[in-house]
Amino acid sequence: MIPVKFDYLAPTSLEEALSALSEHGDDAKILAGGQSLLPVLRMRLNAPEVVIDLGGIDSLRGIRDDGDAIVIGAMTTHHVVRDHELVREHALLLSKAAAEVADSQIRHRGTFGGALAHADPAGDLGAPALALGAQFVIQGSGGTRTVEADDFFVDLFETAIGDDEILTEVRIPKHTGWGAHYEKFVRVAHQWPIVAVAATVKGSIDEARIGLTNMGSTPLRARATEAALAGASATEDGVRAAAEQAAEGTNPPTDLNGAADYRQHLARVLTGRAVLRAAGAA
């Protein structure tokens, strides 16, 4: 199908983009990598009057070291996130998850910030960002503010980004030396995960942080399992016993790919696998 006619704006600065967004309000849509928005436009599930393309704003790209965190520009592609040495050294979980995003073509076009702002609970990057305690830097007409990961994901396809705001960068606290693994369960290659688990582990196991994909309307933390693992040894029996609590507090969907109780079973199994591999014990 062909999208409904719209005006196309290509600002070259963040200030210009914010001005256009303020001027057009609800009639405008932000275009980052376009891997989610363009299919929606083609199917006419959304018909904005104006599309504001952020692709020409160089300041929104790149990865830098900032003391106790690394900072990833919102327009940085999944491919760059996957391969960047700072990400591999200080946030290995993100590199592993980015490697599982769709296929090579989408990884080269899709953007880190765009995927997070889209807030699909089946997306591959929300759970790792949540597990790593990411901070989201958002800019609007009222200035710049920082939102913690726990408060960023509000509901299905809904975040803390206001109608007149743009996600500019994401701060990831350094987890240098932590083991990491992203365990994704799909029926066919490149599919959205039926369930996925993002696990990063310090030592064996001094601390564990675990994010769940597609187990509710937003990414979730498996906090009961994290608590059970704290200070535990990375034995298969101990980890799998703690993983039995992974589905606590979840509300997964029921659809053609699986019922809610099946997804909860998967969450428990995949959490055990992810933690063991993150700890190097699998």
Side-chain angles (χ1 to χ4, degrees):
M1 294 180 65
I2 299 174
V4 174
K5 182 179 178 180
F6 57 82
D7 292 331
Y8 172 80
L9 302 179
T12 56
S13 70
L14 182 58
E15 292 73 21
E16 188 181 348
L18 288 169
S19 176
L21 189 58
S22 178
E23 177 183 352
H24 296 286
D26 292 341
D27 295 328
K29 278 289 183 184
I30 293 292
L31 175 66
Q35 302 309 294
S36 297
L37 180 61
L38 292 182
V40 167
L41 296 182
R42 291 188 65 184
M43 291 185 287
R44 299 196 176 191
L45 297 176
N46 201 306
E49 294 182 8
V50 178
V51 170
I52 303 170
D53 186 355
L54 304 183
I57 305 177
D58 292 337
S59 64
L60 296 180
R61 291 189 182 87
I63 300 174
R64 69 180 190 275
D65 192 313
D66 192 27
D68 60 354
I70 61 171
V71 181
I72 304 176
M75 289 293 290
T76 306
T77 64
H78 306 310
H79 172 75
V80 171
V81 171
R82 182 193 68 179
D83 291 345
H84 201 283
E85 60 182 13
L86 284 176
V87 178
R88 289 185 170 180
E89 181 179 1
H90 301 299
L92 180 60
L93 181 58
L94 275 185
S95 175
K96 299 234 177 190
E100 296 296 326
V101 173
D103 55 31
S104 181
Q105 180 177 354
I106 288 176
R107 288 193 293 271
H108 278 78
R109 290 292 302 169
T111 65
F112 183 66
L116 292 169
H118 185 54
D120 188 333
D124 289 301
L125 298 179
L130 185 64
L132 290 169
Q135 297 174 314
F136 296 80
V137 181
I138 300 167
Q139 189 166 334
S141 57
T144 301
R145 61 193 181 99
T146 301
V147 178
E148 300 291 335
D150 286 341
D151 300 317
F152 181 76
F153 300 103
V154 176
D155 206 342
L156 187 70
F157 299 109
E158 183 182 353
T159 70
I161 303 172
D163 292 339
D164 63 343
E165 295 180 319
I166 293 174
L167 176 65
T168 59
E169 61 188 25
V170 183
R171 297 178 56 84
I172 308 292
K174 288 181 178 178
H175 288 72
T176 313
W178 287 49
H181 186 73
Y182 186 66
E183 187 77 11
K184 179 175 178 177
F185 186 85
V186 296
R187 289 189 300 108
V188 295
H190 312 314
Q191 184 190 33
W192 297 109
I194 298 172
V195 174
V197 176
T200 189
V201 172
K202 181 180 181 181
S204 182
I205 301 170
D206 300 324
E207 184 180 352
R209 300 175 70 89
I210 303 165
L212 304 176
T213 299
N214 213 11
M215 288 297 292
S217 61
T218 66
L220 299 171
R221 288 274 294 277
R223 296 188 186 275
T225 294
E226 291 176 354
L229 286 169
S233 60
T235 64
E236 183 170 350
D237 288 345
V239 169
R240 295 199 184 281
E244 285 299 308
Q245 303 177 61
E248 290 185 10
T250 64
N251 184 29
T254 291
D255 56 28
L256 292 175
N257 289 312
D261 58 349
Y262 173 61
R263 282 185 160 93
Q264 289 177 328
H265 165 73
L266 284 176
R268 292 187 285 267
V269 172
L270 300 181
T271 295
R273 292 179 186 174
V275 172
L276 285 169
R277 289 174 181 169

